[in-house]
Amino acid sequence: MPELSRTSNGRNIDPASALRDCRTAFIGVGIASALVNILYLTGSFFMLEVYDRVLPSRSIPSLVALSLLALLLYAFQGAFELIRGRMLVRIAGALDESLSGRIYRALVKAPLKLRMQGDGLQALRDFDQVRSFLSGAGPTALFDLPWLPFYVAICFLFHPVIGFVAIGGGLVLSLLTYLTNRNTQAPARKASEAGGQRNAFAQASQRNAEVVQAMGMTGRLTRLWESRNAEFRDQNRRTSDIGNGYGALSKVFRMALQSGVLAAGAVLVIEGEASPGIIIAGSILTARALAPVELAIGNWRGFVSARQSWQRLKELLKVLPEAESPLALPSPRESLSVEGLASGPPAAQRLIFADISFTVRAGSALGVIGPSGSGKSSLARALIGVWPAYRGSVRLDGAALDQWDSDALGSHIGYLPQDVELFAGTVAQNISRFAGDATPEAVVAAAKAAQVNDLILRLPSGYDTEIGEGGAALSAGQRQRVALARALYGDPFLVVLDEPNSNLDAEGEQALSEAIMNVRARGGIVVVIAHRPSALASADLVLMMNEGRMQAFGPKEEVLNKVLRPQPVRAPALTIGAEGQEAAQ
C-alpha cells in the first residue's frame, strides 16, 4: 500500500498542499480501481462462456474449471476492493493528521480576527464532513466513472446495438447527475447555515440553563428553537428529497435499461446476429457500466456537502494564514508602553477607545478605573494582543506585540478575564495551562502566589481533582482563584486582571492583594481593571477612562484625589455612546 505523506502538526500547510501530499495514495487508489473494474468483467464473460460453450457441449469439467477460475478472480476483486477502501480511510486519516492542528488554531483564532456566525464550530463540522466523505462510498464511484467508456467499448464488441443502448443509458444517467448537482447545491448550503444557527442557539441555551429555568423562559425559547429547527429540517428535507428522487429515478431507469438490453439481445439472437450468451453477458455488462453513475447520483449530496465544506475550509485558512515565527526576543524585564493606542472588536473596524498612551515600569501595578462601558475591558484585551491595534501600539521593552511569536508572548503574559472559563481536566492541568513539561514545583508555586494552595489541598483529590467541563465542580469564587493561579503560572512579566475580585470574599480579596504585591516584588507589571476600590489596594498607578478616552493617569493618590474630590455642584453623569456600550465590556 503506498505510503501517505504527513506534515507535522499541520503547521504551514494549506488544504491543497495536504491533498498533494496524498497524491501517491490517490494513484494507488486509481490502480486498485483499475484492477477492480477489469475484474468486474468476470461475471459477464463467465455467463458468456457458460451459455456459448458449456451448455452446447454439456461439459461438466469445463463448467467446474470456469467456476474455479471465476471464483479466483472474484477473490482478487474482493481483495482489491478491500485495499481500495482501506486506502481511502487512510487518506482521510492523513488529511486529519496534516490539517487538524492547523484547523484547531484557526478555530481558536477566528473569533479574534473575524466576525463569526453561528456557534463558531462550522470549520470543525466542515472538516468532519470532508473526512467522512473520503472514508465512504462516494470516492469509489468517482474513481469508477472514468471506466464507463471502457465498458461501453466492450458492449460494442458484443454487438453495436448493445453498445448504442449503453451509450444512450449513460447519457440519460449523466443528465440526471447534472440535475442532481445543480438542484442540491443551494439547499445543501442553506441546510448547513441553518444547522449552524440552530446549534449556536442550543449551546447558548445550555450555557444559560439556570437563567432559563429560573425565569420561566423555557416555553418561549422552545418556540424559538422549534422555529430554527424547522428551518434546518425543511432545508435538509428538501436536499434529501431532491437527492433521493434523482437516485430512485436513476435506479429504476438502470433496471429498465438492463431489461431493454435483454430484449435487444433476444432480438439479435432471433435474427441470428448474436449468440445466446450475448443476452446475459450484455445485460450484466451494461448494468455494471452504469452502476458508477447511479452510485454517484446516490452519493451526490455527500459530494456536494464535502465540496462546499472543503471550499469553506480553504477560504477560512486563507484569511487566517499561519504566520512565520519571528526572531526570538529576550524575555521582557523593563516596561509596558502604550503609544496612541486605538482598538475595537476584531473585524468590526469600529473603535471602542482611542488615544491611550502611558508607560508602566517593572515593579508597578496599574489600576484602570471608570464607569461601566468606558472601555476598560476592551483596553485589557488590546494590552494582551487579542484585540487588534487599529492605531498605535502596545510594546514590551520596546517591542510591539506583533513582533513576538504568539506562543512565546503567551509565556510572558498572565490574563484573568471577567468571565472565567476553565477546561475539563485536573486543577493542576488548568493552572499549568496544560503544559506538557509542567513540574509540580511550578504548579504549586503558582497556586501559592495566588494564595490558593490551601483551598486546592482541601479538594477531594487536591491538585488531581477533575473539575469537569467549564470548571463545573468548583464554585465561582474557586474558579476565579484557580484562574488567578493560571495567570501567575511561570512568573509572567505582564499580568492583566479584569475584575479579579468580582466573585471573591474578604479572604479572596486579601489573597489577591498579596498576589499583586508578589508580582511587583519580583519585577513584574500588573494591570488591574477595577470597579471596587479594594482591587486597587496594591496598585501604585491609576488610569481613569471615560467614554473610550483616557481622563487621567498617574500615581494612585494623585489621580484618586482628583477624581473623587468633592464637587460644588452635582457632577454630570458619565455616559457612553451606543457604540461603546455594545462591545466595551
Side-chain angles (χ1 to χ4, degrees), residues 356-377:
I356 305 295
S357 298
F358 61 85
T359 298
V360 180
R361 296 290 175 183
S364 293
L366 170 65
V368 182
I369 62 174
S372 296
S374 59
K376 304 185 301 298
S377 294

Side-chain angles (χ1 to χ4, degrees), residues 401-481:
L401 297 186
D402 57 9
Q403 296 177 14
W404 296 79
D405 176 76
S406 59
D407 290 342
L409 177 63
S411 65
H412 303 308
I413 289 179
Y415 178 50
L416 177 64
Q418 274 192 37
D419 300 321
V420 173
E421 185 85 19
L422 299 178
F423 294 90
T426 65
V427 173
Q429 287 175 321
N430 275 273
I431 290 177
S432 67
R433 310 180 186 186
F434 287 84
D437 57 352
T439 63
E441 293 79 11
V443 173
V444 174
K448 288 183 175 179
Q451 302 290 313
V452 75
N453 179 62
D454 292 341
L455 184 153
I456 294 173
L457 294 177
R458 288 195 293 269
L459 294 175
S461 300
Y463 283 90
D464 293 325
T465 300
E466 292 284 344
I467 63 174
E469 195 70 35
L474 304 178
S475 68
Q478 289 174 328
R479 287 198 298 270
Q480 194 160 36
R481 295 184 68 179

Side-chain angles (χ1 to χ4, degrees), residues 227-447:
S227 174
R228 286 168 169 79
N229 191 56
E231 174 67 17
F232 171 71
R233 183 176 62 247
D234 291 344
Q235 295 297 338
N236 201 46
R237 180 172 56 202
R238 183 183 176 193
T239 305
S240 299
D241 286 347
I242 294 173
N244 293 337
Y246 282 114
L249 184 60
S250 66
K251 184 176 181 178
V252 170
F253 175 79
R254 189 168 68 89
M255 293 173 63
L257 183 66
Q258 190 172 1
S259 298
V261 171
L262 285 172
V267 172
L268 294 174
V269 172
I270 293 172
E271 297 293 332
E273 297 184 17
S275 64
I278 294 295
I279 300 176
I280 304 300
S283 175
I284 295 175
L285 192 61
T286 303
R288 174 55 206 163
L290 301 180
V293 182
E294 181 186 343
L295 185 61
I297 293 174
N299 288 275
W300 202 261
R301 179 187 175 191
F303 172 68
V304 170
S305 297
R307 186 175 62 184
Q308 292 176 347
S309 296
W310 187 252
Q311 188 62 35
R312 284 193 296 265
L313 279 176
K314 289 173 62 177
E315 292 173 357
L316 176 66
L317 298 183
K318 183 178 180 180
V319 298
L320 295 174
E322 291 279 286
E324 295 294 332
S325 297
L327 180 70
L329 298 174
S331 301
R333 299 181 182 277
E334 298 178 1
S335 66
L336 164 69
S337 299
V338 177
E339 302 173 352
L341 183 64
S343 183
Q349 297 295 323
R350 177 166 48 85
L351 298 181
I352 300 302
F353 65 84
D355 301 327
I356 305 295
S357 298
F358 61 85
T359 298
V360 180
R361 296 290 175 183
S364 293
L366 170 65
V368 182
I369 62 174
S372 296
S374 59
K376 304 185 301 298
S377 294
S378 301
L379 175 61
R381 297 184 184 108
L383 291 179
I384 59 175
V386 298
W387 272 23
Y390 293 130
R391 292 200 307 267
S393 61
V394 179
R395 298 179 179 273
L396 295 177
D397 287 3
L401 297 186
D402 57 9
Q403 296 177 14
W404 296 79
D405 176 76
S406 59
D407 290 342
L409 177 63
S411 65
H412 303 308
I413 289 179
Y415 178 50
L416 177 64
Q418 274 192 37
D419 300 321
V420 173
E421 185 85 19
L422 299 178
F423 294 90
T426 65
V427 173
Q429 287 175 321
N430 275 273
I431 290 177
S432 67
R433 310 180 186 186
F434 287 84
D437 57 352
T439 63
E441 293 79 11
V443 173
V444 174

Side-chain angles (χ1 to χ4, degrees), residues 17-81:
S17 299
L19 276 181
R20 284 196 298 270
D21 287 343
C22 297
R23 60 184 177 273
T24 303
F26 278 118
I27 292 173
V29 173
I31 294 173
S33 297
L35 295 173
V36 166
N37 279 277
I38 291 173
L39 290 171
Y40 264 124
L41 297 173
T42 300
S44 298
F45 282 99
F46 176 76
M47 297 305 298
L48 181 64
E49 292 298 314
V50 167
Y51 276 87
D52 289 354
R53 294 182 183 273
V54 174
L55 291 181
S57 67
R58 298 179 180 273
S59 174
I60 297 299
S62 297
L63 179 61
V64 171
L66 283 173
S67 299
L68 291 176
L69 179 60
L71 184 62
L72 179 63
L73 293 176
Y74 282 136
F76 277 111
Q77 178 183 334
F80 287 123
E81 286 271 20

Side-chain angles (χ1 to χ4, degrees), residues 1-6 20-28 87 90-91 94:
M1 186 178 298
E3 183 178 356
L4 302 180
S5 302
R6 291 179 173 88
R20 284 196 298 270
D21 287 343
C22 297
R23 60 184 177 273
T24 303
F26 278 118
I27 292 173
M87 290 175 68
R90 280 151 181 77
I91 289 174

Side-chain angles (χ1 to χ4, degrees), residues 142-164:
L142 299 180
F143 275 99
D144 289 344
L145 276 175
W147 287 87
L148 176 59
F150 172 73
Y151 288 116
V152 172
I154 299 295
C155 289
F156 270 101
L157 291 178
F158 284 167
H159 196 280
V161 172
I162 297 178
F164 283 119

